[in-house]
Amino acid sequence: MNEAFQQMAGRLMVALDYPDAQQAERLIQQLEGIPCYIKVGMQLFYSAGPAFVEQLKSRGYSVFLDLKMHDIPNTVRGGAESITRLGVDMFNVHAAGGRNMMAAAKAGAEAAVLADSSLAMPLIIAVTQLTSTDQTTMNKEIGIPGTVQDVVVRYAQLTREAGLDGVVASPLEVPAIRAVCGADFKTITPGIRPAGSATGDQSRVVTPGQAIAQGSSYIVVGRPITAASDPRAAAEHIIEEMNQV
């Protein structure tokens, strides 16, 4: 495992799309030694709880806790404080909650770190538009006018103004986000499908190499790894694709 592979592996977030810790554990064992990020979403967290996150941290993994908080500022502040106490490296909120709510998330994380010097400040990112959302859905069902890219960029600007570290967005919107938010603003991009794989329920997808070329800080990959007959080989292939830029 050469240095270039290891560095790019740190930009791969493997989504543990499993209903319980037992199934997730089988995948983790297969990925052992690959220094990737682990993304824990709602289904697994609600099933396995905080102890599972703490276990991942004890094994040396970087953890993105993907709970997409969206509530009144005081509630989000409390949630962020609790999440930060778990030692996660990254968590998210919905940008649609507004500037005050996002700033409250940062305040909650800061309060946790202030109370416990052993904690590090996690990256806090905001969801702009889900990659399953196309323009028709956004305009006619959600009721937000304009193009998807215009809305994503506006939410990214709002996120930066709130003091957060970056956004979740499609790789297709990354160049426009970087143009207005700068190169240091993090972009976490789901909707990644290796060349030749099915798109599933994603509407805006690109390959791993295309995502890195577009400027994605991290890519999120679930089913192309978790549903593969050989998850480790699938993950290694994706990292190799990421390096072909």
Side-chain angles (χ1 to χ4, degrees), residues 111-126:
V113 172
L114 184 63
D116 184 349
S117 60
S118 71
L119 296 171
M121 186 70 181
L123 294 172
I124 309 174
I125 59 174

Side-chain angles (χ1 to χ4, degrees), residues 117-237:
S117 60
S118 71
L119 296 171
M121 186 70 181
L123 294 172
I124 309 174
I125 59 174
V127 177
T128 53
Q129 289 295 311
L130 301 173
T131 50
S132 58
T133 301
D134 57 21
Q135 186 163 329
T136 299
T137 301
M138 189 184 76
N139 293 161
K140 296 186 177 181
E141 297 180 18
I142 302 175
I144 300 175
T147 67
V148 171
Q149 179 165 298
D150 287 344
V151 173
V152 167
V153 171
R154 177 159 51 85
Y155 277 177
Q157 289 177 299
L158 189 67
T159 301
R160 186 183 61 173
E161 291 168 9
L164 302 194
D165 301 289
V167 291
V168 180
S170 164
L172 301 173
E173 286 108 38
V174 168
I177 292 169
R178 290 210 178 279
V180 297
C181 295
D184 293 336
F185 193 71
K186 307 297 184 187
T187 49
I188 291 80
T189 56
I192 307 297
R193 291 292 183 268
S197 64
T199 59
D201 58 2
Q202 304 282 6
S203 295
R204 309 192 317 277
V205 300
V206 301
T207 68
Q210 289 170 336
I212 296 300
Q214 293 274 40
S216 296
S217 305
Y218 301 91
I219 69 169
V220 179
V221 182
R223 283 165 287 187
I225 294 174
T226 60
S229 57
D230 185 343
R232 185 181 187 87
E236 290 174 341
H237 178 71

Side-chain angles (χ1 to χ4, degrees), residues 52-81:
F52 183 76
V53 173
E54 293 171 335
Q55 179 187 2
L56 287 172
K57 288 301 302 174
S58 71
R59 294 165 73 169
Y61 283 103
S62 295
V63 176
F64 168 25
L65 187 56
D66 178 19
L67 299 182
K68 300 182 180 71
M69 289 191 291
H70 187 176
D71 213 310
I72 63 173
N74 189 58
T75 298
V76 168
R77 186 188 191 282
E81 189 169 354

